[in-house]
């Protein structure tokens, strides 16, 4: 669903249009691993990210949300250069 602001809602998460396009190029299994491997500074551990948004910055996807364990804000940068060669 595309909102008037240009944001795209994917499942309950909001992505900018460009971030949604980039995120969709990553295989679903890899996306699940990325979402389950986000570092939380408060827990000092890798955690699942929840209630996240996605935006594109300099060609990469930034996921910003909350730690599934403690609720602290977490961010995961997905470097799209890792996925570009597999898409072609």
């Amino acid at each position: 669903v595309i909102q008037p602001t240009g944001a795209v809602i994917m499942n309950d998460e909001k992505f900018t249009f460009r971030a949604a396009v980039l995120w969709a190029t990553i295989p679903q299994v890899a996306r699940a691993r990325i979402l389950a491997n986000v570092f939380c500074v408060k827990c000092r551990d890798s955690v699942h990210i929840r209630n996240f948004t996605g935006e594109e910055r300099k060609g990469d996807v930034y996921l910003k949300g909350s730690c599934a364990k403690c609720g602290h804000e977490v961010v995961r940068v997905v470097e799209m250069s890792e996925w570009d060669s597999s898409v072609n």
Side-chain angles (χ1 to χ4, degrees), residues 38-47 67-72 74:
V38 178
F39 188 78
C40 176
V41 295
K42 191 170 182 183
C43 294
R44 295 183 179 208
D45 199 6
S46 291
V47 297
C67 170
K69 289 183 182 178
C70 73
H72 191 265
V74 293

Side-chain angles (χ1 to χ4, degrees), residues 12-41:
D12 291 321
E13 318 308 342
K14 292 182 183 177
F15 281 71
T16 62
F17 181 77
R18 181 71 182 141
V21 169
L22 292 170
W23 183 245
T25 65
I26 301 172
Q28 188 171 1
V29 172
R31 283 185 273 162
R33 283 190 208 139
I34 290 167
L35 296 176
N37 188 24
V38 178
F39 188 78
C40 176
V41 295

Side-chain angles (χ1 to χ4, degrees), residues 8 54 56 69 85:
V8 178
E56 181 268 337
K69 289 183 182 178
S85 61

